[in-house]
Amino acid sequence: MHGASLLRDGVVMLGVGLVFVLLFRRLGLGATLGFLVAGALIGPQAFNLIGDAEGKISVAELGITLLLFIVGLELNLSRLWKMKQDIFAIGLIQVLACGLAITLIVHGVAGFSWQAALVLGFPLALSSTAQVLPMLQSAGRLRTPFGERAFAILLFQDLSIVPLITLVTILSRNPADQQGPPGYLLFIYTVLAITGLVLAGRFLLRPLFRVIGNLGEREMFIFAALFTVTASAALMEYLHLSTALGAFVAGVMLADSPYRHELEADVEPFRTILLGLFFLAVGMLLDIHVIAERPFFVIGMALALIATKAAIIFAIGMAFRMNWRGALALGLLLSQGGEFGFVLFAQAQRAFLIEPAAVSIFSAIVTLSMATTPFLMMLTARFREAPQVTGEREGPRADGANALIVGYGRFGQTVSQMLIAAGIPVTLIDTDIEMIDVAADFGAKVYYGDGTRLDLLRQAGAHEAELILFCIDGDQLDADLNEGVHEAFPKAAIFARTYDRRALVKLKGSPIAGVVREVMESAVKMARMAMDAIDVDPAEADRAEDMYRARDKERLKLQYETGDVRAARDRIITSDEREEIFAATRREIAADADAASESVGAEELGRGQEP
């Protein structure tokens, strides 16, 4: 009977959750709200279809642990360094300013103790990553400067849960927690545990995953990933520390490993299922009667939360030189409470810092604030969007072209004319209105728009195209942008023009079919023409070109591997070492002629390929 009951509970939870998530996704409200509403309806406060919500949430909390593991996997040092100002300046200021302001409101308006106000106020300062990122993705703004700034703030908020959980542990009034080590000893344990986990990751886990990778057993990757998470969490629990902190550290110590993407892909399904069950259980625990007794307090606090966060984030954006439209959009986008609020409220309840009734009320406040975000963004779109540029030209549309060319300057014009000459239909996109008008005078139809935006590429028909060619100048492309384009339009081969080798190195790891340094071949051609002009022997000129290409390929390979454009400076050809290099290169060319003809060219950088 017990087994049948569990099976019935599982069918009800998964079935109702599926229906409401699909409905809420359709309405643009996000999966988290769907799970919460579904849980509230099947819980004891409504239709009472499921019992033992407390037991189910204790199991489902493993989803939070896996979520922190995946957050840790995203934190490789190169990404942190690239976004350091937005993460550690804007993110830190946002969490502290919003957390303190909301704490004061909770303490002053609701009359909670300062300990309870802290463990309620700071969780409310965190926004919903699960809601905001899909909104940015669907709008094609995730990889724009605005999207990256929003992502950086969300990333710091995700990091903040670790010290906030530690704060709840330190303030705990639970006798079981108070019987544990004192606060200063917890801090020492935390430092020692993190150090131990980092060392274990470097000297034990990485060799383990290397062995598993060589065996080619995908199932063992899943076992090893789950073992890593649970073992790290269990160690922290044994030391009376946060299990989520252990999982987070486990992710960080594997963030720079070559297995990061595979680990993330293996853990993601478990994380998604268990996190959905966690939100279902949270919904089941909501005391609807308590909420119904104080509806004006719930609505008023939700409005105060949204207004406070939106105003503070708007002010922070203006202080960091965002235009007022972008700062307003950022404030409204991050104005809601987030899923980590439910986690921290549950932790605070177990620590005897707040009552179950407070958990229900403030969980309802978070839920209501999350429900308002899509409507706020729609209602304010007209004020947030910049006015159209005078004389703006027609935006792109899908016209059945096989190739999309982004950028119609000198480089893009040559590429497009050659493709058209080969009978390949092209769609041309550029942001230069003057260039669009001049092109029209010569019979070329160029659409206006930012071709690095996914929504605009989709509007131009990228989902049907076989080729996407970025012919834009400057330093506008990076690996993340190419990754996003490839994920959105997997059928299209991506090609890119880069300014120099610095820009080329930035594309390391990109899912890209080919990259061209814009002056490389023209410079080589000029050198050959110069040698022809002074009657250099053609065989000698061929050897000189081969020497340069071989050395440049070797140098570029080292720069690509290290990410440092100053690497392999000794491979630059100079007059002093010409004879020595020339003799060595002749031997290399003779010995490796066949291999060199099959190797990847210096201008082709793709995923898993060497330059």
Side-chain angles (χ1 to χ4, degrees), residues 25 39 42 44 54 61 95 127 153 159 183 211 214 228 329 358 394 398 401 433 446 456 496-497 530:
R25 283 282 196 188
I42 64 177
E54 291 84 357
E61 279 183 345
V95 170
S127 306
I153 295 174
L159 294 175
V211 170
N214 292 335
T228 300
E394 180 184 358
I433 290 177
V446 183
L456 190 134
R497 159 200 183 186

Side-chain angles (χ1 to χ4, degrees), residues 258-555:
Y259 312 106
R260 177 173 71 88
H261 294 292
E262 190 159 2
L263 285 169
E264 188 172 352
D266 289 339
V267 170
E268 180 66 23
F270 297 95
R271 195 274 305 177
T272 302
I273 294 169
L274 289 170
L275 201 58
L277 292 177
F278 173 80
F279 292 129
L280 276 169
V282 168
M284 292 165 60
L285 289 172
L286 288 177
D287 192 334
I288 298 175
H289 299 298
V290 171
I291 298 169
E293 290 173 1
R294 306 184 67 182
F296 295 110
F297 177 80
V298 172
I299 295 172
M301 281 298 297
L303 292 176
L305 170 66
I306 294 167
T308 301
K309 290 182 69 174
I312 291 175
I313 295 172
F314 172 78
I316 293 171
M318 294 293 290
F320 279 84
R321 299 183 180 179
M322 292 182 70
N323 63 69
W324 73 268
R325 298 179 191 276
L328 177 62
L330 189 65
L332 294 173
L333 184 66
L334 302 177
S335 62
Q336 74 291 121
E339 53 274 3
F340 280 129
F342 305 120
V343 180
L344 291 163
F345 296 158
Q347 296 268 354
Q349 179 187 338
R350 282 195 292 272
F352 294 176
L353 293 170
I354 55 177
E355 297 288 338
V359 174
S360 293
I361 289 174
F362 280 89
S363 295
I365 290 168
V366 171
T367 303
L368 183 58
S369 70
M370 291 172 67
T372 64
T373 304
F375 299 107
L376 281 174
M377 299 306 288
M378 287 188 287
L379 292 172
T380 60
R382 159 168 92 99
F383 303 103
R384 294 183 292 99
E385 293 177 357
Q388 290 190 344
V389 179
T390 304
E392 186 171 301
R393 301 306 182 258
E394 180 184 358
R397 62 174 184 268
D399 53 12
N402 286 4
L404 267 62
I405 297 178
V406 179
Y408 195 64
R410 293 164 298 169
F411 195 98
Q413 290 168 24
T414 300
V415 173
S416 67
Q417 290 179 49
M418 288 190 65
L419 293 182
I420 293 170
I424 301 172
V426 300
T427 293
L428 307 172
I429 304 171
D430 206 309
T431 56
D432 188 335
I433 290 177
E434 184 179 351
M435 174 63 71
I436 292 172
D437 292 341
V438 171
D441 292 339
F442 286 88
K445 175 62 178 176
V446 183
Y447 294 106
Y448 176 85
D450 180 0
T452 62
R453 287 176 48 182
L454 296 184
D455 58 331
L456 190 134
L457 288 175
R458 187 174 288 106
Q459 180 181 332
H463 55 288
E464 299 174 350
E466 298 178 64
L467 298 168
I468 298 176
L469 303 102
F470 290 103
C471 300
I472 48 183
D473 58 6
D475 198 13
Q476 303 177 51
L477 297 178
D478 58 28
D480 287 342
L481 173 61
N482 287 329
E483 182 77 38
V485 174
H486 176 70
E487 289 178 0
F489 316 110
K491 293 194 302 182
I494 303 171
F495 293 84
R497 159 200 183 186
T498 59
Y499 179 71
D500 57 15
R501 63 179 65 242
R502 288 183 177 85
L504 196 62
V505 170
K506 277 183 60 179
L507 300 180
K508 177 181 179 180
S510 291
I512 199 163
V515 182
V516 174
R517 277 181 285 168
E518 63 181 30
V519 297
M520 168 82 173
E521 294 303 323
S522 56
V524 170
K525 186 171 182 179
M526 177 179 281
R528 290 299 301 255
M529 291 171 64
M531 286 186 275
D532 290 342
I534 58 173
D535 297 324
V536 173
D537 182 68
E540 182 75 8
D542 289 340
R543 283 194 293 269
E545 181 177 346
D546 290 340
M547 177 196 301
Y548 169 74
R549 289 189 182 277
R551 296 302 291 269
D552 184 72
K553 181 185 295 186
E554 183 180 356
R555 182 175 169 223

Side-chain angles (χ1 to χ4, degrees), residues 74-221:
E74 293 291 331
L75 294 182
N76 58 68
L77 293 177
S78 61
R79 189 173 194 183
L80 286 175
W81 183 254
K82 177 183 175 183
M83 304 172 67
K84 58 185 182 298
Q85 177 176 326
D86 287 347
I87 295 173
F88 299 108
I90 300 178
L92 175 62
I93 294 170
Q94 183 273 321
V95 170
L96 288 177
C98 291
L100 290 172
I102 298 168
T103 296
L104 291 173
I105 293 172
V106 172
H107 179 68
V109 174
F112 284 90
S113 67
W114 69 267
Q115 294 96 332
L118 274 175
V119 299
L120 289 170
F122 272 89
L124 290 173
L126 309 183
S127 306
S128 175
T129 303
Q131 184 179 41
V132 172
L133 289 187
M135 291 178 68
L136 288 170
Q137 187 92 37
S138 62
R141 302 191 70 186
L142 183 57
R143 300 185 187 277
T144 65
F146 174 85
E148 287 190 350
R149 179 156 285 181
F151 175 78
I153 295 174
L154 290 170
L155 185 57
F156 187 86
Q157 291 179 356
D158 291 346
L159 294 175
S160 301
I161 189 175
V162 175
L164 289 179
I165 289 175
T166 305
L167 175 65
V168 171
T169 304
I170 293 172
L171 295 176
S172 175
R173 297 169 181 164
N174 191 327
D177 292 336
Q178 291 178 350
Q179 290 171 5
Y184 75 90
L185 198 54
L186 281 177
F187 176 77
I188 296 174
Y189 283 172
T190 302
V191 174
L192 292 176
I194 291 175
T195 303
L197 286 174
V198 171
L199 292 175
R202 184 173 186 83
F203 297 107
L204 295 178
L205 285 179
R206 292 196 182 191
L208 172 64
F209 282 111
R210 191 179 303 118
V211 170
I212 295 173
N214 292 335
L215 291 175
E217 296 286 345
R218 180 174 176 81
E219 294 80 3
M220 294 307 298
F221 255 103

